[in-house]
Amino acid sequence: QAKEEGINRVAFSSDKLRSSTMNQVQISEALYQANLDSEFHVVYQPQIELETNQIIGVEALIRWNHPQMGMISPGLFIGIAEKNGFIIQLGKWILEKACWEVQMLSDSIGRPLKLAVNVSFIQIRQEGFVEDVLQILKRIGFAPDRLEIELTERSLFENRPEDLAKINALRAKGIRIAIDDFGTGYSSFGILAKVQVDKIKVPRDFIENVDSNPNSQRIVTTIASMADRFQLTCLAEGIERLEESNFLHQLVCQEVQGYYYAKPAVIDQVEKWLSMPREKLIKVVSADKMDI
Ligand code: C2E
Ligand code: MG
Ligand code: MG
Ligand code: MG
């Protein structure tokens, strides 16, 4: 039940309309019949360091353009791909594609960019997960310390020793771990007690109207100072307005992501943004009304 709500909560409104006529079984079958290379692509949302106003990395986000059904958002299909196991194949494809594209971009601009990739707990539980990740990095020549794996609290809340051991194994190789949507899951502190992480991501739920909503202010201030205590990087997600960003500036929150700065975009667009002079960048990026 909780899973279903999660799916609907992040789905675009067009998906909501469609999901009534197009049931989960149809999506599940369409996933298995999908041609990965022609139907899927990865978009990248810049992550900005507040101190320098510079793009220091990108988060990879999957996009699915079905030949008949059109764009289907990850909020709708990731949960289904987790249920039917397709996420195993898809997750590997995303990681490989994203590492490849970001490596090419880094080479071309002569600056190593960081890459964050969302990973499902189903992927972690797959035998050989750690080896698969390391192999992909090695094949592409992608430095492990430039890869960040984003996990949700849900993927860790069972505290299965095998899962935690795999996360620690990746971390021992230099890969960074971020907790996505921090504070929305079942056991935020429980996770910090059990597994060593590098970053927490504050979800849009708490950032929206943080400049005017006292409760959001209390929550965000608490999370940011907690991150500081644990010596974790704090990244605020889903910033859409300057006022929200300004509120975060006064907290110990080092990184931001959101439509105010840049929407997720194809790698060529990110390259264009990165080739602009730093002073100009943020203004231009936020003026670009890209919607991909
Ligand atoms: P997430 O990892 O928390 O990603 C953030 C979501 O918020 C993305 O939606 C992003 O496009 C959106 N977003 C970014 N800035 C803003 C903003 O300023 N305002 C608003 N309203 N939204 C913003 P998206 O791409 O639809 O992805 C939704 C969720 O689907 C992701 O949440 C993640 O949990 C999952 N997902 C996406 N791509 C992947 C993937 O490659 N693998 C896995 N396992 N999950 C993925
Ligand atoms: Mg994420
Ligand atoms: Mg998030
Ligand atoms: Mg999420």
Side-chain angles (χ1 to χ4, degrees), residues 10 12 45 59-63 73-75 78 82 87 94 118-120 123 150 152 180-181 204 237-240 257-260 264:
V10 289
F12 296 138
Q45 186 174 36
E59 176 180 5
L61 295 157
I62 190 69
R63 292 292 176 264
S73 88
I78 290 289
E82 286 177 337
I87 193 73
I94 294 164
N118 295 283
V119 168
S120 158
Q123 290 173 261
E150 294 193 7
T152 58
D180 206 349
D181 303 333
R204 162 135 187 90
E237 275 197 291
I239 295 185
E240 290 188 359
Q257 224 181 308
Y259 293 171
Y260 174 70

Side-chain angles (χ1 to χ4, degrees), residues 36-49:
L36 282 175
D37 289 310
S38 66
E39 293 179 32
F40 288 86
H41 69 280
V42 182
V43 289
Y44 301 88
Q45 186 174 36
Q47 299 184 322
I48 289 112
E49 189 177 57

